[in-house]
Amino acid sequence: MRPVARAALTVLGGIAAAGCAATPPDLPRAAAEPVATDAAEPAVVLRDPAITESSGLALGVVHPDVVYTVNDRGGGPVVYAVGPDGETVATLQVGGARNVDWEDVAVTADGHVLVADIGDNDAERADVTLYTFPEPEVLDDQTVRTVASRFRYDTGPANAEAVLVDPRTDRLCVVTKAEDGEIHCADEPLTTSGGSGRAPQVLRLVAAAPGAVTSGGYSPDGSLYALRTTRRVLFFSAWDARPVVVDLPAQPQGESLAWTADGLSVLVGSEGATSSVLHVAVPDQLLEPEADR
C-alpha cells in the first residue's frame, strides 16, 4: 500500500496542544502492513430507495440509535435519519443549502449535525461549505435551519471527502482525496452559530495523509481517529505514529465511516441502492491500556 504520513498523527492526535503551523508536504513517511481481521459484520442495510449514493455516515448523539447519511453530488439538500432496522425515520431538508458535492457527515459531541460540501473533482471551487444544524429533539420529516460556513484551502482548490472534528477541542480538519493526500485544519474551533455570509475561513496544510481517503472521524473520546479508503481503514492513536490498517471486505463503492458510541468499532458504508453498512471492530492493540503498551 501507499506509505502513510508519520507526522499526521502528531498533528491530529495533539491538535488541542499543538498549533496549526504548516508542515512541509514532503514529510517522512512510515509504511504500515495491514492486519488480518474477521471482525467485519453486517450492521444495517439502507433500505430507502432515495438513498442511492450514501457518501457519509454519523451516529446521532440526541438519537444514538439513528445513523445519519447524505447522498453524493447533486443528490439534493437532504439528510436521512435511518433507524436500526434500515428504514428511514425522518427526512431532514437542509434549509438554504445546496448539494454541490456533499461528501461526508458528522455529529459533534454536543449534538450538532455537520454536512460537508467539500467534493471538488476538478479542483476548481474557490471555497467549500460546511452546513451545521442542531440534531432535532423529535425526528420527523422537517426542514431544519442551518448555519453555512465557508472554507478555503491555503494551498488552493482541492478535492476532499473526509471531515473530522476533534471532540476535545472542536477543531475542524479536512483530508483531501488525492494520491498525495493532505490534512488541512482550521485555526479556530468550529462554531455552530453565525458564519453565514462571512468571508471563508482558511484551512491550513498541517500534514501529509494517506492517499484516496473517502471518510474519517475521531473516536468519541478523541484518543483515536480513523481514515478509510475504498478497501481499508487506517486507525491512528496518540501513542504510535504508525497506523494499524484493517482490510475491508469488498463493497460496491466504499465511501463512509462512523464511530460507534462506545469507541470500540466503526461503521463503514458504501454507495449504491440498498447498500450494506458493515460493523468493524477496532484492533485489540489500540484498545490496550497505555501501561500495557
Side-chain angles (χ1 to χ4, degrees):
M1 67 170 289
R2 184 180 181 276
V4 176
R6 181 185 298 275
L9 170 90
T10 304
V11 176
L12 280 181
I15 221 169
C20 254
T23 303
D26 56 343
L27 298 168
R29 299 172 184 268
E33 293 298 328
V35 297
T37 180
D38 297 319
E41 300 176 348
V44 66
V45 176
L46 305 178
R47 303 185 185 282
D48 190 332
I51 303 173
T52 57
E53 295 186 339
S54 174
S55 192
L57 289 175
L59 267 71
V61 170
V62 177
H63 304 281
D65 59 341
V66 163
V67 64
Y68 296 99
T69 189
V70 296
N71 277 326
D72 203 338
R73 183 184 185 99
V78 179
V79 175
Y80 300 90
V82 179
D85 61 355
E87 300 292 345
T88 296
V89 176
T91 299
L92 308 177
Q93 298 283 338
V94 183
R98 186 164 65 103
N99 185 342
V100 177
D101 197 352
W102 288 10
E103 289 291 358
D104 210 356
V105 62
V107 178
T108 64
D110 65 351
H112 281 79
V113 180
L114 281 64
V115 179
D117 190 352
I118 56 177
D120 189 6
N121 291 334
D122 298 321
E124 62 184 9
R125 297 175 66 178
D127 53 67
V128 294
T129 303
L130 185 73
Y131 297 104
T132 309
F133 60 90
E135 190 177 354
E137 291 291 337
V138 177
L139 278 179
D140 53 21
D141 293 347
Q142 60 186 283
T143 297
V144 293
R145 297 181 63 182
T146 185
V147 170
S149 302
R150 294 186 296 148
F151 297 87
R152 65 175 179 84
Y153 305 102
D154 60 342
T155 55
N159 186 36
E161 295 191 4
V163 63
L164 300 87
V165 179
D166 189 329
R168 303 162 298 180
T169 64
D170 287 333
R171 199 63 166 279
L172 171 72
C173 292
V174 173
V175 185
T176 65
K177 194 186 177 184
E179 181 179 352
D180 294 318
E182 297 174 346
I183 300 170
H184 294 253
C185 298
D187 289 335
E188 302 296 331
L190 177 71
T191 177
T192 53
S193 61
S196 298
R198 295 182 180 178
Q201 300 176 57
V202 177
L203 295 172
R204 303 189 188 282
L205 173 63
V206 298
V213 169
T214 63
S215 189
Y218 276 97
S219 62
D221 66 0
S223 64
L224 304 173
Y225 71 94
L227 303 175
R228 78 156 293 176
T229 66
T230 55
R231 293 300 303 272
R232 287 176 168 175
V233 178
L234 298 91
F235 291 94
F236 294 83
S237 74
W239 55 84
D240 193 341
R242 297 166 300 175
V244 177
V245 184
V246 174
D247 281 330
L248 297 174
Q251 294 180 293
Q253 186 174 336
E255 282 278 324
S256 53
L257 177 144
W259 282 83
T260 57
D262 58 12
L264 300 179
S265 58
V266 295
L267 302 177
V268 293
S270 172
E271 291 191 2
T274 59
S275 60
S276 295
V277 176
L278 304 178
H279 184 276
V280 179
V282 175
D284 289 342
Q285 60 265 49
L286 292 175
L287 302 175
E288 297 171 355
E290 186 172 357
D292 295 339
R293 290 188 296 272

